[in-house]
Amino acid sequence: RKTCIFLGAEMAYDDFDDDDILDESLGIGELERAPVEFPEDLGACIDKYYQLRAQRLNLEKEVKERKRTEKAYMEHIVAQLRAIKMENGGGLKANASIKEAEMPTPKDWPAIWEYIKENNGIDVDPNSIFDVQVKRLHEYKRQLLNILHVMYLYNQIKRNPDYDMVPRTFIFGAKAAAGYKIAKQTIKLINNVANVINNDASIKGKIKVVFIENYRVSNGEIIFAAADVSEQISTASKEASGTGNMKFMLNGAITLGTMDGANVEIVNEVGAENAQIFGLSSDEVIRFENEGGYDPMEIFNNDQEIRDVLMELINGKYSPEDTEMFRDIYNSLLNNDGGRRADTYFILKDFRSYAEAQRKIDERYRDTNGWAKTVMTNTAKAGKFSSDRTIEEYATEIWKLTKTPVEM
């Protein structure tokens, strides 16, 4: 609020009522009236006044809107608490969880589950972790790593029906170039896996898989706001920058990713404890590319669980009508093809690290207070990624432009 007071400018000061600014009940006390340096030009001074006045009016509108929202939330909370009391003979359970009484999360606002039901015909758990990867489909972005892990997780649940995990909704959205065959096959694989998992009642809804058709700005507005986990899992050294991760960050989603592209800057802002990083570093990837030393067949032969997942690509589990449907994907991971190395984008090399990162996400989500802190930190630290800052850096550091003062 202090920034709204242009002290020393009499006309600005007259517009303010101390009762509007000070709130003794909150213990704010009297605001410090520090000296202000004014522009020498009177016109600039007047301009500043009206800027501050506009900011104050906007803030007043926002405060009124927030008060209305707070009232709605409080009414909702009271209703929920009353319902809990009714269920427990008029009192809360002795071991009632914090979650029963906490304020609704942001995903109660954009009804992503309603959108999915309407557009995909899939029922998803509103209280599940919304794990999202929406971006152009390309091998280096590794949507394949994501869906292979979903297949792996499904196998874990099938082997152990009591497998303990927070329900997870994996959301994909992507478009692939018309002639990009393996990218098209990856989309087909995601949808086929979704069809099997979503119709398996034995797993009790622990996993749902959704492919958002025609991913675009209008449904992106719902998806970004609903996300809990932001999948930014490109092979290290391959992502030039990335901006989708910034949109997820602004909406409080935790970044699950490699130290690549803008993930590096995000981690620098929020701290490693407020992201979940995994996988090879850029230097390690480049060293393998230049010097060799990585053979995905060794992983295939020595890790039975990974082997099981890859065999499902060619045994008809997800393509009973055509067991060869995903043969190209299988071959791309294990066999050299002319000048192309097997597993060009190190999917199998990073698989175990990725699976462990996903396990930690599940663990962290159970810590309600810790997760809330991560969400708030991500949103609060997103300011660096303002386009104003970016454009100014381009102008000064790359284009070497100088500012031209404009006299009003």
Side-chain angles (χ1 to χ4, degrees):
R1 293 183 180 182
K2 293 182 182 179
T3 59
C4 295
I5 307 175
F6 193 40
L7 300 174
E10 184 174 352
M11 53 188 172
Y13 190 77
D14 288 343
D15 276 329
F16 282 87
D17 181 343
D18 277 357
D19 290 337
D20 292 333
I21 301 169
L22 305 180
D23 189 343
E24 296 292 342
S25 66
L26 295 178
I28 296 173
E30 183 173 287
L31 296 176
E32 178 184 1
R33 292 190 167 92
V36 174
E37 294 184 9
F38 302 103
E40 292 184 6
D41 180 67
L42 179 59
C45 194
I46 293 172
D47 285 343
K48 182 64 176 178
Y49 160 68
Y50 282 110
Q51 288 175 15
L52 291 167
R53 179 180 173 81
Q55 291 172 5
R56 176 174 64 84
L57 293 175
N58 286 335
L59 283 172
E60 287 176 355
K61 290 179 183 177
E62 183 178 345
V63 167
K64 288 178 182 178
E65 184 59 34
R66 289 191 177 191
K67 284 182 178 178
R68 283 195 291 269
T69 304
E70 288 170 8
K71 181 181 178 183
Y73 267 87
M74 185 51 63
E75 290 172 349
H76 177 79
I77 292 168
V78 170
Q80 294 297 312
L81 289 173
R82 284 174 179 168
I84 293 170
K85 290 180 180 180
M86 290 293 291
E87 292 172 1
N88 294 277
L92 288 172
K93 298 176 186 176
N95 62 342
S97 68
I98 297 174
K99 195 175 182 74
E100 289 178 327
E102 71 183 1
M103 291 180 70
T105 61
K107 64 188 178 193
D108 285 314
W109 306 335
I112 183 67
W113 52 91
E114 294 177 355
Y115 179 90
I116 291 171
K117 177 63 175 178
E118 180 180 350
N119 290 274
N120 296 78
I122 301 169
D123 291 306
V124 301
D125 183 355
N127 294 312
S128 63
I129 298 174
F130 286 98
D131 185 312
V132 184
Q133 187 178 21
V134 289
K135 55 182 72 239
R136 182 168 52 87
L137 202 303
H138 198 293
E139 288 169 277
Y140 80 85
K141 293 182 182 291
R142 301 202 294 189
Q143 286 92 345
L144 181 56
L145 173 60
N146 191 343
I147 195 62
L148 290 177
H149 173 262
V150 172
M151 293 160 62
Y152 160 82
L153 195 55
Y154 179 54
N155 289 345
Q156 299 298 307
I157 298 170
K158 293 296 285 184
R159 292 190 186 107
N160 177 15
D162 296 324
Y163 187 82
D164 183 29
M165 63 172 289
V166 179
R168 185 86 66 107
T169 299
F170 293 95
I171 298 175
F172 295 82
K175 294 179 180 179
Y180 198 169
K181 183 180 179 182
I182 202 163
K184 296 286 189 182
Q185 289 179 332
T186 302
I187 292 175
K188 178 64 174 170
L189 176 63
I190 293 168
N191 281 282
N192 282 23
V193 170
N195 187 53
V196 171
I197 291 177
N198 297 341
N199 290 290
D200 186 345
S202 72
I203 66 171
K204 301 177 181 178
K206 289 182 178 179
I207 305 176
K208 288 293 178 76
V209 183
V210 179
F211 187 90
I212 301 291
E213 297 180 14
N214 194 21
Y215 167 58
R216 59 200 185 279
V217 171
S218 56
N219 54 26
E221 291 174 345
I222 300 171
I223 296 166
F224 283 106
D228 294 306
V229 178
S230 167
E231 296 264 0
Q232 307 298 329
I233 59 178
S234 299
T235 309
S237 79
K238 304 302 180 186
E239 185 68 75
S241 176
T243 56
N245 49 6
M246 301 172 193
K247 300 181 186 77
F248 282 114
M249 176 193 187
L250 183 60
N251 282 279
I254 185 172
T255 298
L256 168 61
T258 55
M259 283 298 275
D260 192 39
N263 290 354
V264 176
E265 295 175 275
I266 288 175
V267 171
N268 286 342
E269 290 299 303
V270 304
E273 69 278 11
N274 291 305
Q276 192 65 58
I277 300 302
F278 75 94
L280 298 172
S281 68
S282 295
D283 289 342
E284 288 171 325
V285 168
I286 293 169
R287 185 164 61 249
F288 278 125
E289 290 177 330
N290 292 337
E291 302 174 11
Y294 168 51
D295 181 5
M297 192 59 76
E298 291 184 5
I299 296 175
F300 179 78
N301 289 330
N302 292 296
D303 190 322
Q304 185 61 47
E305 290 178 331
I306 291 178
R307 182 186 180 91
D308 289 344
V309 169
L310 295 189
M311 290 305 296
E312 290 167 355
L313 294 172
I314 57 172
N315 67 9
K317 179 173 181 176
Y318 296 106
S319 57
E321 71 283 8
D322 179 7
T323 59
E324 294 297 300
M325 182 178 292
F326 303 119
R327 173 70 65 173
D328 287 346
I329 294 177
Y330 175 88
N331 286 339
S332 74
L333 293 171
L334 297 174
N335 302 318
N336 296 323
D337 182 13
R340 179 188 171 106
R341 298 184 313 276
D343 195 13
T344 304
Y345 297 102
F346 300 93
I347 288 172
L348 302 188
K349 187 69 174 175
D350 274 349
F351 187 90
R352 280 299 175 186
S353 178
Y354 178 66
E356 176 62 14
Q358 286 283 23
R359 188 195 63 77
K360 289 179 179 177
I361 288 287
D362 183 277
E363 185 179 280
R364 294 173 68 158
Y365 193 78
R366 298 167 191 256
D367 176 8
T368 305
N369 292 336
W371 189 270
K373 174 180 177 292
T374 292
V375 168
M376 290 186 284
T377 300
N378 272 272
T379 297
K381 295 289 188 176
K384 177 182 178 180
F385 301 103
S386 160
S387 58
D388 292 341
R389 178 196 64 83
T390 306
I391 292 167
E392 183 166 6
E393 284 188 6
Y394 266 96
T396 57
E397 297 177 14
I398 297 176
W399 300 325
K400 308 298 182 185
L401 302 178
T402 57
K403 294 183 180 180
T404 302
V406 177
E407 302 218 0
M408 304 295 290

